[in-house]
Amino acid sequence: MEEPQVTPLSELGPQCEAQRERIRKLFESGAGARETLRQLCELADGTIKKVFGELLRVRSAPAQGMALLALGGYGREMLFPYSDLDLLFLFGNEKAEDEFRPLISEFHAPFGDLGFRVSSAGRTLDECRHIQESNSEFHLAMLDRRFLDGDAQTLRKIGHQGLLGPKNRPGRCCIRNCSASPANAWRAMATRSSISSPT
């Protein structure tokens, strides 16, 4: 009987399970909550980078024009057990989006078996700008963004397109939206505040 092929991704399942068990035992033996959340975040980061890197290697495709970002609580490195991994595939333009869409479909496949729940979206820089003009919650989520992998230059263009103000403060489009719809802005702030302060 032929032995199953061992690949970098096929080895990830046992590695993730072993790391989760190690983190759980450390927590039960007295490790603090923040340290536990940090270690869970590091486990997710490492797993995502391995999956993403392996897909790029197999496809022989450098990630030029695409950045992979963590958002929300995951972006703030506050990853609770069983929380979703909120990800954004940020494309520099429509050409990059067309090129990498098949890779994104492949990217999601392994994570169920690895014990992660991934929630992701793909947006071009222009789409992000248009969404934020009418959606303050999306803008607030972008303030919590964290670069994971891919083309860092694509991420730097966010500031150049007016999506964020100086030092990651809300850009003009978000301020206009909050002023025009205080109720929506309050709900967005309340949502962000509630997930920023774990009990």
Side-chain angles (χ1 to χ4, degrees):
M1 182 177 179
E2 185 177 349
E3 290 290 328
Q5 183 180 10
V6 176
T7 67
L9 296 188
S10 67
E11 295 177 333
L12 271 181
Q15 292 172 2
C16 288
E17 186 59 33
Q19 287 298 311
R20 284 195 189 91
E21 182 66 13
R22 179 187 64 80
I23 294 169
R24 183 183 67 81
K25 288 181 177 178
L26 285 174
F27 179 71
E28 291 176 348
S29 65
R34 287 190 178 277
E35 175 62 18
T36 300
L37 299 182
R38 184 188 64 79
Q39 291 199 34
L40 288 171
C41 188
E42 287 183 354
L43 172 60
D45 285 358
T47 304
I48 286 172
K49 290 175 182 179
K50 287 177 182 177
V51 172
F52 188 71
E54 180 64 10
L55 290 177
L56 291 177
R57 186 191 67 81
V58 170
R59 294 172 62 88
S60 299
Q64 186 173 0
M66 177 181 68
L68 178 56
L69 311 180
L71 302 180
Y74 181 37
R76 295 189 301 277
E77 298 182 287
M78 300 287 286
L79 185 65
F80 289 84
Y82 311 112
S83 291
D84 287 1
L85 304 179
D86 292 323
L87 302 175
L88 176 69
F89 291 90
L90 181 66
F91 306 108
N93 50 48
E94 291 182 356
K95 179 181 178 182
E97 181 180 21
D98 291 341
E99 178 182 353
F100 287 109
R101 277 292 180 185
L103 182 144
I104 294 176
S105 299
E106 297 175 36
F107 173 84
H108 284 83
F111 283 95
D113 292 336
L114 297 176
F116 293 99
R117 295 187 306 184
V118 173
S119 175
S120 74
R123 298 283 185 268
T124 65
L125 287 167
D126 282 343
E127 285 176 328
C128 287
R129 177 170 54 82
H130 292 141
I131 291 171
Q132 291 191 120
E133 289 176 350
S134 59
N135 189 330
S136 57
E137 292 186 26
F138 181 76
H139 194 117
L140 291 169
M142 288 296 288
L143 294 178
D144 287 324
R145 78 197 187 284
R146 181 166 58 87
F147 178 77
L148 290 173
D149 211 334
D151 183 7
Q153 185 61 36
T154 298
L155 176 59
R156 295 190 188 101
K157 292 178 182 178
I158 287 181
H160 298 159
Q161 299 225 352
L163 303 183
L164 295 173
K167 298 182 180 178
N168 287 352
R169 292 172 182 163
R172 289 186 298 273
C173 63
C174 183
I175 293 172
R176 286 198 305 269
N177 184 54
C178 289
S179 300
S181 181
N184 287 341
W186 177 263
R187 283 195 294 269
M189 289 290 189
T191 299
R192 184 166 182 257
S193 176
S194 67
I195 59 178
S196 297
S197 304
T199 56

